[in-house]
Amino acid sequence: QKIRPGWFALTMGLGGVSLSLGKFPWATATISKIGLGVWLMDVLLVGIMTLAFLTRLLRSTYSLSVSDLIQLSCVWISFVGVA
């Protein structure tokens, strides 16, 4: 019941961390692999959060506001842009 689009900020943060790990000037193969692992975890988390949010929408009387739609679409647009 507490899943709102604001929770997607967590996934945006993880995406930023994973990209930053690969762009370090002193990045080694190990750091790049850690960055890939964080990114894969982020992909899984985006999927789980989207399913939880959509389940909440379908099973409750929660009214979807315009700001909710904007937040959710921004997450997916940024995610597709990075992938």
Side-chain angles (χ1 to χ4, degrees):
Q1 296 230 359
K2 303 286 185 198
I3 302 292
R4 295 197 38 95
W7 278 95
F8 285 94
L10 175 68
T11 64
M12 288 186 283
L14 279 175
V17 168
S18 67
L19 292 174
S20 297
L21 286 174
K23 299 293 181 184
F24 277 151
W26 58 86
T28 62
T30 303
I31 291 176
S32 295
K33 287 180 184 178
I34 291 171
L36 179 63
V38 171
W39 186 80
L40 290 173
M41 185 175 64
D42 187 38
V43 169
L44 180 66
L45 188 59
V46 165
I48 290 170
M49 295 300 289
T50 301
L51 286 175
F53 184 69
L54 291 176
T55 302
R56 177 175 181 233
L57 285 178
L58 295 174
R59 299 188 80 195
S60 72
T61 58
Y62 174 73
S63 61
L64 189 63
S65 68
V66 174
S67 69
D68 291 341
L69 285 175
I70 291 171
Q71 286 179 347
L72 192 59
S73 64
C74 287
V75 168
W76 277 102
I77 288 170
S78 65
F79 184 73
V80 169
V82 169

